[in-house]
Amino acid sequence: MPGVDDRFASFRKKTAAALLDGDGATPSATRRAIAGGAAPPDLKALVDKIRSRAYTVTDADIDALRQRYSEDQLFEIIVAAAFGAASERLAAAHSALEEA
């Protein structure tokens, strides 16, 4: 970003590559979709909750998915959703700073 000093961009890029493209229990395409806010239908409620109001996620939200997803998959899903939301918020903050 030309107007904003983003000294951590390379770290975020490496984190995104490891999280979204690295080996995992969940397919990379699914992790990328979740990070972008486009979760599969059975994960949509959880991903939307993580992206908009993570503080309201409960054990019941996770328990409802345990029959379909392993603990490793659930971890990757949750982290991908959180990373995607954080990335979007950071981009919005940088945009606001550039416009200021």
Side-chain angles (χ1 to χ4, degrees):
M1 297 187 175
V4 176
D5 179 24
D6 189 4
R7 65 181 184 213
F8 298 111
S10 65
F11 295 115
R12 275 193 317 282
K13 189 173 183 178
K14 289 176 185 176
T15 299
L19 172 64
L20 304 176
D21 297 324
D23 291 338
T26 309
S28 178
T30 302
R31 287 179 272 149
R32 282 195 158 283
I34 289 168
D42 62 333
L43 295 170
K44 185 166 178 25
L46 175 65
V47 170
D48 287 351
K49 195 180 251 196
I50 291 168
R51 292 175 62 82
S52 65
R53 54 194 190 290
Y55 60 91
T56 66
V57 175
T58 65
D59 288 341
D61 295 318
I62 307 303
D63 289 342
L65 297 168
R66 282 201 164 102
Q67 289 184 343
R68 286 174 279 184
Y69 296 94
S70 70
E71 292 296 316
D72 288 344
Q73 289 173 314
L74 287 169
F75 176 78
E76 292 170 3
I77 288 162
I78 291 165
V79 173
F83 185 83
S87 296
E88 288 176 10
R89 288 181 178 103
L90 181 63
H94 281 176
S95 179
L97 287 171
E98 286 180 352
E99 292 174 11

